[in-house]
């Protein structure tokens, strides 16, 4: 790369330009139109730059989802040493693909997250003291919705952190979403909180402007929140339980996950090795973890994970090892091309919501 190459790139990029803006507040239509015209004349026409038509713009999106996984299929597992060679912190991010960002998928994902996020923090951060950073939540990646479980620790290697996340998910299946655990009253409270969140308008003009700007090309337009609220109020207890079971719990029919890990300096030697030259590595879940609630005077936690990963129930998982480079990820996709889910084109938009 050179400065001359940079100038050449800029010249090519500025052959045609199109502004896309939203003007709101105490501004009339005529004033807004004059502002746009003046901006156009000063920045485009004066420099001989053409105005691109909307039909000439191409939206580039990668809408390929994770590969579906059977109960016996290995979990794609990306491992790499920390960029900072002196950093002892290790991290694991376990992401579950939940589907395209339709109103129902978004609502179900947020409801499930409201049930799990605080208990996940309490179990791994407070009870087990695994590390300083522990959280879970919903994240939109490209045109799909994912639920992520994250843990960072300077005392434990990523593979071990992954086992504790798995243990939480196993426990949550019965202790949060089980038939006796999930009540109508609890679901009603969560749905009411999510409804209030959807109806909570921005408190400033810039924030409100960004909301409107993101809705301008959305298939549901400015009625998005109304559609989401109407859909949210139709969600049932069985649907929430089924969503978690199918997409997140082990053995779920629609479960599709990916783990990305970073190994801190003192754990680089524990990076997993391939089994007999294959791409897969075996890892056995750790033995029973001492629960702080067993200490005298300690209050029992809302959720305990011990019985799911104790000495009597050791479990070995298969991890498909990937390296931190683009070629390995591309090869993985090419090898599994037939198994990847592609979202229907009518559900793919350029805006996150």
């Amino acid at each position: 790369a050179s400065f001359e190459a940079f100038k050449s790139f800029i010249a090519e990029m500025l052959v045609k330009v199109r502004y896309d803006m939203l003007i709101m507040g105490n501004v009339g239509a005529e004033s807004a139109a004059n502002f746009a015209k003046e901006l156009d004349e000063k920045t485009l026409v004066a420099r001989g730059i053409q105005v691109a038509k909307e039909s000439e713009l191409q939206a580039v999106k990668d809408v390929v989802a994770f590969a579906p996984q059977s109960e016996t299929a290995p979990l794609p597992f990306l491992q790499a040493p920390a960029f900072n060679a002196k950093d002892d912190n290790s991290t694991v991010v376990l992401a579950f693909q939940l589907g395209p960002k339709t109103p129902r998928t978004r609502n179900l994902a947020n409801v499930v997250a409201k049930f799990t996020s605080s208990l996940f923090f309490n179990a791994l951060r407070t009870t087990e003291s695994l590390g300083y950073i522990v959280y879970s939540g919903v994240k939109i990646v490209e045109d799909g919705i994912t639920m992520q479980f994250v843990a960072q620790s300077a005392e434990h290697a990523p593979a071990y952190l992954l086992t504790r996340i798995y243990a939480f998910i196993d426990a949550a299946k019965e202790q949060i979403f089980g038939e006796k655990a999930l009540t109508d009253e609890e679901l009603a409270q969560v749905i009411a909180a999510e409804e209030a969140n959807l109806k909570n308008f921005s408190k400033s003009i810039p924030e409100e402007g960004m909301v409107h700007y993101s809705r301008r090309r959305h298939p549901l337009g400015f009625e998005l929140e109304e559609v989401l609220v109407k859909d949210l109020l139709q969600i049932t207890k069985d649907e929430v339980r089924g969503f978690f079971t199918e997409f997140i719990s082990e053995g779920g029919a629609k479960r599709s996950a990916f783990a990305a890990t970073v190994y801190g300096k003192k754990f680089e030697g524990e990076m997993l090795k391939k089994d007999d030259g294959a791409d897969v590595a075996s890892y056995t879940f750790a033995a029973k973890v001492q629960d702080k609630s067993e200490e005298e005077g300690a209050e029992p936690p809302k959720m305990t994970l011990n019985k799911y990963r104790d000495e009597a129930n050791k479990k070995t998982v298969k991890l498909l090892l990937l390296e931190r480079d683009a070629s390995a990820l591309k090869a993985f996709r090419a090898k599994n091309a037939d198994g990847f889910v592609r979202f229907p084109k009518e559900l793919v938009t350029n805006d996150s919501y």
Side-chain angles (χ1 to χ4, degrees):
S2 65
F3 183 59
E4 292 302 321
F6 172 73
K7 290 194 295 183
S8 176
F9 168 76
I10 293 298
E12 182 179 351
M13 183 182 72
L14 293 181
V15 169
K16 287 186 177 182
V17 172
R18 182 178 180 83
Y19 286 113
D20 190 5
M21 70 182 74
L22 171 70
I23 301 176
M24 64 179 294
N26 190 21
V27 179
E30 184 178 353
S31 298
N34 289 335
F35 172 78
K37 182 180 179 181
E38 183 178 354
L39 182 65
D40 179 50
E41 291 177 348
K42 285 185 176 180
T43 60
L44 298 182
V45 177
R47 291 174 171 79
I49 300 173
Q50 299 180 50
V51 178
K53 297 179 180 179
E54 189 169 357
S55 60
E56 295 177 304
L57 303 178
Q58 276 192 326
V60 180
K61 279 280 186 176
D62 183 0
V63 296
V64 180
F66 303 150
Q69 294 171 301
S70 66
E71 188 171 357
T72 58
L75 171 74
F77 186 85
L78 178 67
Q79 59 178 0
F83 285 108
N84 182 352
K86 297 180 180 180
D87 197 339
D88 284 332
N89 284 290
S90 294
T91 302
V92 58
V93 178
L94 178 62
F96 294 90
Q97 183 80 54
L98 305 179
K101 54 182 184 181
T102 61
R104 181 52 60 97
T105 302
R106 171 203 163 123
N107 281 329
L108 282 169
N110 284 331
V111 168
V112 167
K114 284 217 169 24
F115 276 110
T116 60
S117 59
S118 61
L119 289 175
F120 180 69
F121 180 88
N122 289 339
L124 273 69
R125 171 72 171 87
T126 306
T127 304
E128 295 193 24
S129 302
L130 294 186
Y132 183 72
I133 297 178
V134 172
Y135 68 89
S136 66
V138 176
K139 185 175 180 64
I140 293 177
V141 179
E142 295 294 349
D143 294 293
I145 295 180
T146 65
M147 179 168 289
Q148 298 186 356
F149 294 86
V150 181
Q152 175 179 309
S153 174
E155 303 299 327
H156 301 283
Y160 175 76
L161 297 176
L162 181 65
T163 68
R164 303 317 298 157
I165 296 175
Y166 264 62
F168 173 84
I169 292 171
D170 274 359
K173 184 177 181 180
E174 294 299 326
Q175 298 185 39
I176 300 178
F177 300 102
E179 292 188 12
K180 296 181 179 180
L182 181 58
T183 66
D184 292 324
E185 292 76 16
E186 288 177 329
L187 179 60
Q189 290 176 1
V190 167
I191 287 179
E194 185 61 18
E195 180 184 7
N197 183 52
L198 289 171
K199 292 180 176 179
N200 182 25
F201 290 97
S202 303
K203 297 178 175 60
S204 68
I205 291 295
E207 287 184 13
E208 189 173 349
M210 290 303 297
V211 171
H212 287 304
Y213 185 78
S214 68
R215 302 291 185 263
R216 75 202 185 287
R217 297 180 188 276
H218 195 280
L220 299 177
F222 297 104
E223 289 75 41
L224 173 61
E225 276 70 25
E226 295 178 18
V227 173
L228 287 172
V229 169
K230 183 178 179 180
D231 178 88
L232 176 69
L233 298 178
Q234 297 174 358
I235 289 177
T236 66
K237 186 170 60 175
D238 288 340
E239 197 173 6
V240 172
R241 183 183 298 114
F243 188 80
F244 182 86
T245 300
E246 285 189 326
F247 286 96
I248 299 176
S249 65
E250 193 170 4
K254 298 179 181 179
R255 187 173 183 269
S256 181
F258 181 89
T261 62
V262 175
Y263 281 72
K265 179 182 177 182
K266 66 181 180 181
F267 293 111
E268 285 185 14
E270 295 186 29
M271 293 179 68
L272 303 182
K273 303 295 189 296
K274 297 179 180 181
D275 293 345
D276 300 323
D279 291 334
V280 176
S282 299
Y283 188 82
T284 303
F285 283 116
K288 180 177 178 180
V289 175
Q290 181 70 21
D291 194 324
K292 285 191 174 182
S293 66
E294 297 174 0
E295 298 176 4
E296 186 176 355
E299 293 185 5
K302 293 182 179 179
M303 175 182 288
T304 177
L305 309 180
N306 289 348
K307 70 176 183 179
Y308 291 90
R309 294 291 181 243
D310 60 20
E311 287 284 0
N313 190 28
K314 276 192 175 182
K315 183 171 184 178
T316 299
V317 294
K318 291 289 187 179
L319 304 174
L320 177 61
L321 297 187
L322 301 174
E323 304 297 333
R324 189 183 61 191
D325 64 76
S327 60
L329 295 177
K330 288 180 179 178
F332 169 68
R333 283 187 167 181
K335 185 177 180 181
N336 296 275
D338 294 337
F340 279 108
V341 176
R342 291 185 179 273
F343 300 144
K345 290 183 178 179
E346 61 270 19
L347 295 177
V348 176
T349 68
N350 294 323
D351 297 305
S352 297
Y353 65 89

